[in-house]
């Protein structure tokens, strides 16, 4: 396993469990969580991230995510996440690592599928 694949495994576990300990295991105390790279402000700090992760999902997500590239500082994860009956997303995630392997900065880049032209 690699640092990013270990982190992704922890993310998927925390995503499913919504358990505070699982979320704290993958994000540093002072982490920034960016839902979009152009957000005005990220969610900052582990307590705020734990609280945000407690929000309900629109459906049980079905994901197909994998590590694209990584080095000691950052990992890039790509793939899809489908919320059945809600929305499907294509994703690229930036995971910036603290020395202990938790994320100090997480940035989601996501897209929804193109809608067919109504012509």
């Amino acid at each position: 396993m690699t640092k990013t694949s270990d982190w992704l495994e922890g993310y998927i576990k925390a995503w499913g469990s919504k358990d505070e300990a699982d979320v704290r295991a993958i994000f540093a105390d002072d982490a920034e969580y960016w839902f979009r790279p152009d957000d005005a402000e990220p969610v900052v700090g582990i307590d705020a991230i734990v609280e945000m992760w407690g929000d309900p999902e629109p459906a049980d997500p079905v994901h197909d995510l994998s590590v694209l590239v990584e080095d000691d500082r950052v990992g890039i994860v790509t793939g899809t996440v489908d919320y059945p009956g809600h929305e499907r997303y294509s994703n690229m995630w930036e995971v910036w690592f603290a020395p202990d392997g938790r994320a100090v900065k997480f940035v989601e880049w996501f897209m929804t599928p193109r809608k067919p032209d109504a012509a």
Side-chain angles (χ1 to χ4, degrees):
M1 304 276 300
T2 66
K3 182 187 290 190
T4 307
S5 61
D6 289 345
W7 185 89
L8 179 58
E9 185 177 295
Y11 184 98
I12 291 168
K13 177 183 178 188
W15 193 0
S17 74
K18 302 285 190 183
D19 184 85
E20 181 176 336
D22 292 341
V23 178
R24 289 180 182 278
I26 59 170
F27 289 102
D29 293 346
D30 59 347
E32 297 178 1
Y33 192 112
W34 295 80
F35 286 99
R36 307 174 70 91
D38 59 352
D39 278 346
E41 298 284 332
V43 176
V44 178
I46 189 61
D47 292 335
I49 293 170
V50 165
E51 182 179 336
M52 177 267 304
W53 269 52
D55 291 345
E57 300 281 356
D60 288 333
V62 177
H63 47 77
D64 181 15
L65 300 163
S66 61
V67 176
L68 177 65
V69 66
E70 70 177 339
D71 66 19
D72 289 338
R73 299 176 313 127
V74 65
I76 304 296
V77 174
T78 61
T80 59
V81 177
D82 185 13
Y83 290 93
H86 175 67
E87 193 69 75
R88 180 178 173 85
Y89 299 95
S90 295
N91 296 280
M92 185 186 82
W93 297 345
E94 297 175 34
V95 185
W96 295 87
F97 294 109
D100 66 3
R102 294 181 299 161
V104 70
K105 183 177 180 182
F106 175 78
V107 183
E108 292 188 51
W109 297 70
F110 63 88
M111 296 166 279
T112 56
R114 289 184 182 187
K115 306 291 186 210
D117 289 339

